[in-house]
């Protein structure tokens, strides 16, 4: 296997964070259409590409800006407010580049080719890991997708489900095991136009409909040796569990995305309350203390969650291990705040909020998807509970009596 080689310097689009407000507005203008049709927002990724957002985390040694987690959560919150489908696939791409910047693992030629494509057009990347029988390998287990040797290359066969952004990806990072005895596991870099690869349009979801998280079917898809990452025996690759820093990026980045969705819901709500003038009242709903207090609850909830995520992200960038450890609990708090805020908005608006003519129902459907992403609440809370119990062991009964 080819190992990571010298740095590749590429003239990538310059990162322009000042463009985020404009991009948010333009994404929002098409988000309802893509949600209703379940269509992939190609033009949204063109916007993100032009502003250098898709390559923001490419390492400096490769000619990228080398953006950290703090900038990444800022980007994802802005994109999430515009179109969370664009934000989610962007997140997956940014996480891949950030991982390569921290711990180089790609064969040098494979990564150089990806960066070369990223110069002129969106080059989206996502890891395909979930399978019908296995579910998500983050909870343990080996993939059923198999790579066998033939004619000096690997041939991949299997099915990946919930493959976010499949129809728009430039690279699919397929988690698979070899047909050897003993088997090895690794990630195989697959192009969407590879022979034997089919995308089945199975995605018919409540939320994030434009993400096109369809099934990817692989039937003896060829992969060259220099397109394989981290092939090793299963004991050296514990499922798909990320290292702690990668996990922190995932947790805080995705939480920022859904806080963006909730922020968009709040903004629509405040506009509605100013515009809605019941005849019995003769004044906007925004003038009533009850609505002012309710909006204050939403504002306080979201403001606290955003502050928490941004502060932890900056500390992760500074190398603070405690911030890394707090990222998963912050996801629980942040996504719960996002869901709660949108549900409060629905309570305040009634039928208006549930009407397909207004975006609040879409924000509600989208924000519920925050519960699905790894790490899920039950895993985080179980780990936090065990850690707390271990820090405070049971008191010896005899010692307690002597007191």
């Amino acid at each position: 296997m080819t190992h990571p080689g010298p740095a590749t310097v590429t003239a990538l689009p310059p990162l322009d964070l000042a463009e985020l407000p404009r991009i948010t507005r333009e994404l929002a203008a098409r988000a309802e259409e893509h949600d209703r049709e379940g269509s992939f927002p190609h033009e949204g990724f063109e916007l993100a590409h032009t502003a250098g957002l898709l390559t923001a985390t490419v390492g400096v040694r490769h000619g990228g800006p080398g953006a950290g987690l703090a900038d990444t959560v800022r980007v994802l919150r802005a994109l999430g407010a515009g179109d969370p489908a664009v934000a989610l696939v962007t997140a997956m791409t940014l996480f891949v580049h950030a991982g390569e910047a921290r711990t180089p693992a790609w064969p040098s030629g494979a990564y150089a080719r990806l960066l070369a494509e990223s110069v002129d057009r969106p080059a989206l990347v996502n890891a395909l890991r979930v399978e019908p029988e296995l579910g998500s390998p983050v909870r343990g287990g080996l993939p059923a997708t198999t790579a066998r040797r033939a004619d000096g290359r690997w041939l991949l066969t299997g099915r990946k489900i919930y493959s976010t952004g499949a129809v728009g990806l430039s690279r699919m990072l397929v988690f698979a095991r070899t047909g050897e005895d003993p088997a090895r596991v690794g990630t195989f870099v697959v192009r969407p136009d590879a022979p034997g690869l089919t995308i089945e349009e199975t995605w018919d979801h409540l939320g994030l409909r434009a993400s096109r998280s369809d099934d990817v079917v692989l039937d003896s898809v060829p992969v060259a040796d220099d397109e394989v990452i981290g092939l090793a025996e299963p004991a050296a690759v514990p499922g798909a569990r990320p290292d702690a820093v990668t996990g922190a990026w995932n947790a805080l980045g995705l939480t920022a995305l859904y806080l963006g969705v909730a922020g968009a819901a709040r903004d629509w709500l405040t506009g509605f309350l100013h515009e809605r003038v019941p005849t019995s009242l003769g004044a906007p709903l925004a003038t009533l203390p009850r609505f002012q207090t309710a909006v204050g609850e939403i504002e306080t909830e979201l403001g606290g969650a955003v502050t928490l995520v941004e502060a932890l992200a900056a500390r992760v960038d500074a190398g603070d291990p405690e911030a890394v450890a707090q990222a998963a609990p912050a996801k629980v708090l942040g996504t719960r705040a996002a869901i709660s805020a949108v549900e409060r908005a629905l309570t305040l608006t009634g039928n208006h909020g549930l009407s397909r003519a207004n975006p609040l129902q879409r924000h509600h459907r989208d924000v519920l998807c925050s519960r699905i992403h790894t790490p899920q609440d039950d895993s985080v809370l179980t780990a936090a509970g065990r850690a707390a119990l271990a820090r405070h062991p049971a008191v010896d009964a005899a010692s307690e009596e002597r007191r």
Side-chain angles (χ1 to χ4, degrees):
M1 182 187 303
T2 303
H3 295 284
T8 302
V9 178
T10 308
L12 297 169
L15 178 61
D16 189 356
L17 297 180
E19 285 289 280
L20 286 177
R22 179 186 66 82
I23 292 173
T24 297
R25 291 192 300 271
E26 294 194 23
L27 291 178
R30 296 287 300 275
E32 190 279 334
E33 172 190 343
H34 287 299
D35 172 79
R36 189 177 292 271
E37 297 176 353
S39 55
F40 194 70
H42 291 283
E43 81 290 339
F45 293 104
E46 290 287 351
L47 285 170
H49 165 73
T50 302
L53 304 183
L54 299 178
T55 49
T57 57
V58 172
V60 174
R61 70 191 298 268
H62 294 293
L69 183 53
D71 281 338
T72 298
V73 300
R74 179 182 172 189
V75 167
L76 295 179
R77 187 157 69 94
L79 297 182
D83 186 338
V86 173
L88 183 57
V89 184
T90 297
M92 301 299 104
T93 301
L94 292 178
F95 295 164
V96 168
H97 287 306
E100 182 64 12
R102 287 193 309 276
T103 310
W106 282 58
S108 57
Y111 195 62
R113 289 188 288 273
L114 173 63
L115 293 183
E117 290 185 24
S118 301
V119 173
D120 299 319
R121 60 183 182 275
L124 305 173
V125 190
N126 195 8
L128 309 191
R129 298 183 178 273
V130 186
E131 296 180 345
E133 296 83 10
L134 177 66
S136 173
V138 75
R139 292 181 184 262
L142 294 178
T145 301
T146 303
R148 60 182 176 85
R149 294 292 294 177
D151 301 323
R153 58 186 179 177
W154 296 99
L155 298 179
L156 283 181
T157 298
R159 176 184 288 267
K160 297 295 183 180
I161 61 176
Y162 305 135
S163 304
T164 300
V167 297
L169 296 179
S170 176
R171 298 291 189 280
M172 301 176 179
L173 307 183
V174 180
F175 187 57
R177 69 195 215 177
T178 67
E180 305 162 323
D181 186 15
R184 293 181 291 167
V185 295
T187 298
F188 296 77
V189 182
V190 177
R191 296 171 183 263
D193 58 353
L197 187 147
T198 305
I199 297 174
E200 293 187 0
E201 296 185 0
T202 55
W203 185 244
D204 187 13
H205 209 261
L206 179 71
L208 281 167
R209 291 176 48 75
S211 71
R212 296 308 319 167
S213 301
D214 294 308
D215 289 11
V216 173
V217 182
L218 306 111
D219 183 8
S220 298
V221 174
V223 180
D225 284 343
D226 67 349
E227 297 274 358
V228 182
I229 304 169
L231 198 59
E233 292 186 7
V237 184
R241 295 180 182 87
D243 64 87
V245 175
T246 297
W249 273 69
N250 182 79
L252 296 176
L254 294 180
T255 302
L257 185 164
Y258 289 103
L259 287 170
V261 175
R266 174 208 55 211
D267 292 347
W268 181 85
L269 170 66
T270 56
F272 171 83
L273 295 178
H274 280 293
E275 295 168 3
R276 178 69 174 161
V277 183
T279 56
S280 60
L281 179 62
L285 292 176
T287 63
L288 295 180
R290 178 172 75 87
F291 286 95
Q292 293 168 355
T293 299
V295 172
E297 292 276 3
I298 292 171
E299 189 72 7
T300 300
E301 201 167 29
L302 291 183
V306 168
T307 298
L308 174 63
V309 168
E310 290 181 344
L312 287 177
R315 288 170 56 192
V316 170
D317 285 341
D320 182 349
E322 182 62 25
V324 171
Q326 291 175 0
K331 176 180 179 290
V332 174
L333 294 174
T335 55
R336 286 183 176 180
I339 293 171
S340 173
V342 182
E343 289 179 342
R344 287 178 189 271
L346 283 174
T347 300
L348 293 173
T349 56
N351 279 329
H352 298 283
L354 291 173
S355 171
R356 289 293 295 269
N358 295 320
L360 191 55
Q361 49 76 32
R362 169 166 51 85
H363 297 323
H364 185 231
R365 289 185 287 108
D366 288 340
V367 81
L368 290 176
C369 294
S370 64
R371 292 172 169 157
I372 297 168
H373 299 292
T374 301
Q376 294 171 339
D377 287 10
D378 65 315
S379 296
V380 176
L381 297 175
T382 298
R386 287 174 177 169
L389 291 168
R391 289 195 301 271
H392 305 284
V395 178
D396 180 74
S399 299
E400 190 69 17
E401 289 179 2
R402 288 193 293 270
R403 293 180 185 177

